């Protein structure tokens, strides 16, 4: 059972739709990087029980994404923001070559700061 | 029963979590702007039945947003993108004053185009 980065991403979006118990187990596994055995010990359930809970939760997260596609939508935003940052950096470099106009510099910095906030 | 713009926004995010039947009724009401009486006639149910279905669906959409907050998260992105566009427009104006450097112009246009795609 390989830990799937995509699940971590989905968990950020849809984690709050899982039951409290499911979310606890899945977060231990994906966010705190505990092993099945460690989670089993901590929660007082069998290793197989942990595995089943994780599998069920993963399935639910994947189904939510299949229905809503919001993680994909957000990822697209992040990709475009990254490209927008590249454009802003090119403006910054060109502006420096041209003698560093402060109005342009200030606005480039603002664009980069907003983009950074959104990508985080 | 006033049509709530916020519901239209939530419908765009979470509509696919409603049942087929619920979604049909809610979309007639919010997206096609039919009246309760018109929907009742079209679907062959009572006006009260339509009203109840819409109320239930609205409640579900609101609950989804309370749990996941993805519509709010997206709205924040849209607000920041609008501000980023303002910054890009200021760069464009300043660049024109400075003699219209083509590298700066091209990159400003790219930023505006990407932002536009994301806001739509």
């Amino acid at each position: 059972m390989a830990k799937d980065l995509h699940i971590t991403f989905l968990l950020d979006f849809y984690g709050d739709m899982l039951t409290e118990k499911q979310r606890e187990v899945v977060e231990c596994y994906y966010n705190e990087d505990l092993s099945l055995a460690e989670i089993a010990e901590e929660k007082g359930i069998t290793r197989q029980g942990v595995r089943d809970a994780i599998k069920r939760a993963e399935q639910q997260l994947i189904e939510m994404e299949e229905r809503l596609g919001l993680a994909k939508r957000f990822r697209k935003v992040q990709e475009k923001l990254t490209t927008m940052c590249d454009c802003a950096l090119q403006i910054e470099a060109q502006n420096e070559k041209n003698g560093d106009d402060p109005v342009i510099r200030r606005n480039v910095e603002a664009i980069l700061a907003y983009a950074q906030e959104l990508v985080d």
Side-chain angles (χ1 to χ4, degrees), chain A:
Chain A
M1 183 153 128
K3 291 194 188 183
D4 182 345
L5 266 184
H6 185 53
I7 297 288
T8 311
F9 193 65
L10 296 183
L11 196 54
D12 174 42
F13 281 88
Y14 303 119
D16 288 333
M17 289 304 287
L18 300 175
T19 66
E20 180 81 17
K21 229 174 170 175
Q22 274 183 315
R23 206 175 57 239
E24 270 178 36
V25 169
V26 175
E27 282 181 353
C28 283
Y29 188 68
Y30 279 104
N31 296 346
E32 297 172 33
D33 202 30
L34 299 185
S35 69
L36 297 181
E38 285 168 328
I39 301 170
E41 201 185 321
E42 196 179 304
K43 303 287 172 200
I45 46 181
T46 64
R47 199 171 167 288
Q48 185 61 38
V50 174
R51 180 195 289 272
D52 291 346
I54 291 172
K55 279 286 156 215
R56 259 199 312 279
E58 285 178 349
Q59 202 46 48
Q60 278 188 39
L61 293 173
I62 289 167
E63 273 173 32
M64 291 281 292
E65 177 61 6
E66 277 171 3
R67 287 183 100 154
L68 302 182
L70 297 175
K72 190 176 162 198
R73 197 160 151 182
F74 230 81
R75 184 160 275 175
K76 216 178 93 190
V77 170
Q78 291 189 320
E79 283 167 7
K80 293 233 165 102
L81 282 169
T82 304
T83 315
M84 287 164 78
C85 281
D86 291 343
C87 294
L89 290 171
Q90 285 189 44
I91 294 172
E92 190 173 52
Q94 189 71 6
N95 185 47
E96 278 172 18
K97 267 196 222 162
N98 293 350
D100 199 14
D101 182 299
V103 175
I104 292 179
R105 178 163 33 83
R106 210 167 46 239
N107 280 290
V108 166
E109 282 167 3
I111 289 173
L112 290 170
Y114 284 122
Q116 197 55 50
E117 278 178 53
L118 290 177
V119 168
D120 284 346

